[in-house]
Amino acid sequence: MTTITQNIARRTLRLVLPLAAALVLGACAAPGGTGSGQNTIQPAHAAPFGTAPFSTAAMLQGAADHPPPLGLAQSGGSLGLRPIIPSGPLLALGNSNASSTTVAVASLEAPRDLWERMRRSFAMPDLETDLVRQHEQWHASRPQNLERMVLRSSKYLFHIVEEVERRGLPMEVALVPFIESAFNPQAVSPVKAAGLWQFMPATGRSFDLMQNAFRDDRRDVLASTNAALDYLERLHRMFGDWQLALAAYNWGNGNVQRAIRANRAAGLGTGYLDLRMPNETRNYVPKLQAIENLIRDPQRLGIALPTIGNHPFFDSVTLERDIDVALVAELAEVSIENFRQLNPAHDKPLIMAAGTPTILLPWDNALLFQQRLRAHQGPWATWTAWRVPEGMSVAQAAQRHDLSEARLREVNDIPRRASQLRAGTTLLVPRQDSHNADVPEHIADGGQILLGRETGSASGAPPSTRQSRITVRAGDTLSALARRHNVSVANLRSWNNLRPNATLRIGQVLLVQQRASAASRAASAPARSGSASSRAAVPRSAQQAAQRSAPATAVRSAQANANQSKVVVR
């Protein structure tokens, strides 16, 4: 019987503990106070209130350690619980009144729009200079220009904000495309920087942004955003300061490091405002600060920001087979122009599932596309990739596929001045019975347009080539070797019978075929570093060679001019 009573007491303790605690505290308002009954139980093990904290945990432990014996219910309550009554005076929990203490509570209300959400996460130190005010006034005096830029950003900004928050970065990072490309994903600078984040070709490759005959991932919204945030995080780890990281994104981390060393040697400060830098970099952070100020307090400058909803603009759809862009646009009920705004990496009529299995569509249209694609009965693709087996003219390649030369040039972006195609060139051509399969991964990722020199021969014979053998070293990859020797990855695989997923071994010997002139240039060129970090060191790497050989003032001027002329940044 005793065991049953003990079990009942333990099980009911959890339910009645809050009520019991309230009753006990009421009974103990004064030293030696009693409960509602006439019986007072003072536990032998209880310490004075001033020496041991009184807590519900203590009550629970006391009840567990001292199960009620038979008959205890008459003096301890109908449930047979043994209360613990403190013997000392009640002490205040702190030195201040509860009414004078203010506790900050996070708002549970969702941000009304994306601007409010961004304002909550701005975290970089503010820059307050005349340059900031100049850029603020520039935007305030051109409201139509600002409105166009904001409307373009509305397609991409929610995704960027999500990624910035997920990584725990300051929200100012999401503003970089405003000053790099004005949120134009098709922006290309004179020095070949491309996309929302304006990646240079070499820097893009070092962050695995594919650039081949079929797509340019520097323009891809998801891939380029991921790479840019990786790069900015790397720069912040390098400098420990976000303003210096942004300066390095624009000017190059090597230049920023040299400027810091020069200032340190001269006993000068090493912050962003202390360094000597080109005008473009000097204006870079002030431009970003001006955009932040416009978002934080647009009324101060009399600006009305177009509203951007705090919700996704697009959704991603995974493809299992090659598909024509025209069919995607038809099934999703979007124009091809709008499709390319969300998928700017694709400027060809075919999407290769092996290379890019994911496309972006407006949120509602994505669901419509998937439903209609499941019900679609016809072919998905009318184009495929074809590798030129031997050197031939553009006209010969077009004739082989029953296509006009003009159309073949248009689809494959073959310049008018080029008339010869080298062996290994990969072209988009109409699907036929002999070419009706989806494009394999090694072609989707490695396709290149290899143009031959103009020749007086009508036969279209390829130019003379020269074979050489190279030895694989530590850190070498197929793509790195292809760049080093000015050949395509697809050709390297073909010449050496390598499978698409083949792994190179240190000491492995590979065959390389080059035109004689290209081979001599490669032989005379200095060796390049094979490390990803050295290739990615500077986002504007086209100016690196000039910076090493030219005087410092000329370098700064040339860099500033190149950067200032790249896109309309406002």
Side-chain angles (χ1 to χ4, degrees):
M1 187 64 181
T2 301
T3 304
I4 296 175
T5 305
Q6 292 174 359
N7 290 337
I8 293 175
R10 289 192 182 96
R11 291 177 181 177
T12 56
L13 185 59
R14 295 189 187 92
L15 300 176
V16 301
L17 184 57
L19 179 59
L23 294 174
V24 170
L25 290 176
C28 301
T34 61
S36 57
Q38 296 180 353
N39 298 316
T40 300
I41 301 176
Q42 177 67 35
H45 69 282
F49 195 72
T51 60
F54 178 71
S55 66
T56 55
M59 292 178 62
L60 179 62
Q61 184 63 42
D65 293 344
H66 300 275
L70 291 175
L72 185 60
Q74 297 178 358
S75 60
S78 61
L79 294 175
L81 299 179
R82 185 177 184 181
I84 299 176
I85 302 175
S87 60
L90 294 175
L91 300 179
L93 298 177
N95 298 324
S96 59
N97 295 329
S99 59
S100 63
T101 303
T102 303
V103 179
V105 179
S107 173
L108 296 180
E109 182 182 355
R112 293 171 298 176
D113 57 29
L114 198 60
W115 301 127
E116 183 178 340
R117 179 177 177 181
M118 295 176 71
R119 291 181 193 115
R120 297 179 182 183
S121 301
F122 287 138
M124 289 187 193
D126 286 341
L127 196 66
E128 297 181 3
T129 65
D130 290 340
L131 283 177
V132 174
R133 288 183 283 274
Q134 289 175 18
H135 291 298
E136 286 178 350
Q137 292 301 324
W138 196 97
H139 289 293
S141 63
R142 295 164 175 82
Q144 293 181 343
N145 186 80
L146 179 63
E147 181 179 1
R148 284 194 300 270
M149 184 166 61
V150 168
L151 289 177
R152 279 198 298 266
S153 75
S154 64
K155 298 179 178 64
Y156 320 106
L157 196 53
F158 179 87
H159 170 74
I160 295 174
V161 167
E162 287 268 299
E163 286 299 301
V164 169
E165 285 186 347
R166 185 179 64 82
R167 294 171 181 245
L169 306 181
M171 191 52 66
E172 287 88 344
V173 169
L175 306 179
V176 168
F178 277 113
I179 59 176
E180 281 288 347
S181 63
F183 266 100
N184 177 6
Q186 300 291 358
V188 181
S189 77
V191 292
K192 305 303 181 185
L196 291 174
W197 300 88
Q198 289 290 283
F199 272 99
M200 291 292 291
T203 312
R205 283 192 292 268
S206 70
F207 283 93
D208 297 325
L209 297 179
M210 185 68 65
Q211 302 156 60
N212 60 26
F214 305 126
R215 74 180 195 271
D216 186 346
D217 284 346
R218 294 177 299 160
R219 295 188 177 96
D220 184 275
V221 175
L222 305 186
S224 67
T225 297
N226 188 57
L229 297 183
D230 283 348
Y231 190 22
L232 285 165
E233 284 185 302
R234 175 191 295 181
L235 293 172
H236 182 253
R237 288 193 299 270
M238 185 179 297
F239 294 102
D241 180 280
W242 278 110
Q243 292 178 353
L244 292 178
L246 289 167
Y249 188 87
N250 174 256
W251 190 26
N253 64 287
N255 289 325
V256 173
Q257 286 172 329
R258 283 188 287 273
I260 289 174
R261 285 196 296 268
N263 273 27
R264 189 175 289 125
L268 302 175
T270 57
Y272 175 79
L273 294 177
D274 301 314
L275 302 183
R276 185 183 178 189
M277 56 184 65
N279 285 336
E280 168 66 18
T281 311
R282 171 66 60 202
N283 281 270
Y284 196 81
V285 176
K287 286 178 181 179
L288 187 140
Q289 182 71 58
I291 294 292
E292 177 186 346
N293 293 347
L294 294 175
I295 294 172
R296 179 183 285 147
D297 189 8
Q299 291 80 12
R300 180 173 63 87
L301 293 167
I303 292 173
L305 285 175
T307 300
I308 299 180
N310 186 26
H311 54 75
F313 180 87
F314 58 75
D315 194 10
S316 60
V317 177
T318 301
L319 301 173
E320 297 178 354
R321 293 164 46 194
D322 295 355
I323 190 170
D324 288 348
V325 169
L327 180 60
V328 173
E330 176 187 346
L331 297 180
E333 291 189 359
V334 299
S335 67
I336 291 181
E337 178 185 359
N338 287 337
F339 173 84
R340 295 204 191 283
Q341 287 179 359
L342 290 179
N343 301 272
H346 297 284
D347 60 352
K348 297 292 187 288
L350 178 70
I351 301 169
M352 302 176 185
T356 311
T358 300
I359 60 172
L360 305 181
L361 291 171
W363 189 266
D364 293 333
N365 302 76
L367 180 60
L368 177 65
F369 168 75
Q370 291 173 298
Q371 292 171 344
R372 290 186 170 183
L373 186 62
R374 284 193 292 267
H376 180 67
Q377 299 296 324
W380 284 29
T382 60
W383 295 87
T384 190
W386 172 70
R387 180 175 291 172
V388 177
E390 57 187 3
M392 64 177 62
S393 67
V394 178
Q396 289 172 328
Q399 184 178 11
R400 180 172 296 193
H401 294 278
D402 296 327
L403 202 64
S404 69
E405 181 179 345
R407 180 60 173 156
L408 185 68
R409 288 180 181 275
E410 176 190 1
V411 169
N412 293 281
D413 293 328
I414 301 174
R416 290 184 178 180
R417 65 179 182 275
S419 63
Q420 299 296 319
L421 301 174
R422 290 161 50 190
T425 291
T426 309
L427 301 175
L428 281 183
V429 297
R431 287 202 177 197
Q432 301 174 355
D433 292 339
S434 56
H435 303 288
N436 198 32
D438 284 348
V439 179
E441 182 179 0
H442 70 281
I443 293 181
D445 283 343
Q448 299 289 340
I449 302 293
L450 308 174
L451 302 176
R453 284 187 174 183
E454 297 286 346
T455 64
S457 169
S459 64
S464 59
T465 60
R466 156 181 169 182
Q467 292 187 353
S468 60
R469 297 186 181 277
I470 57 176
T471 302
V472 176
R473 297 172 295 183
D476 280 344
T477 62
L478 275 180
S479 58
L481 292 173
R483 286 194 299 273
R484 188 182 304 163
H485 296 277
N486 194 29
V487 296
S488 71
V489 174
N491 278 345
L492 264 182
R493 285 198 181 101
S494 175
W495 295 329
N496 295 278
N497 296 321
L498 298 176
R499 296 188 305 276
N501 57 350
T503 302
L504 297 182
R505 304 183 308 277
I506 297 176
Q508 183 177 356
V509 178
L510 300 179
L511 174 68
V512 176
Q513 298 182 14
Q514 295 174 303
R515 288 182 300 172
S517 56
S520 61
R521 284 197 302 271
S524 61
R528 299 188 219 169
S529 171
S531 68
S533 59
S534 64
R535 292 196 303 274
V538 181
R540 306 291 180 262
S541 59
Q543 286 81 33
Q544 296 302 293
Q547 290 170 356
R548 287 193 292 270
S549 58
T553 0
V555 168
R556 290 191 184 94
S557 174
Q559 176 70 31
N561 291 338
N563 283 331
Q564 287 172 342
S565 63
K566 63 183 180 181
V567 291
V568 179
V569 173
R570 306 291 188 179

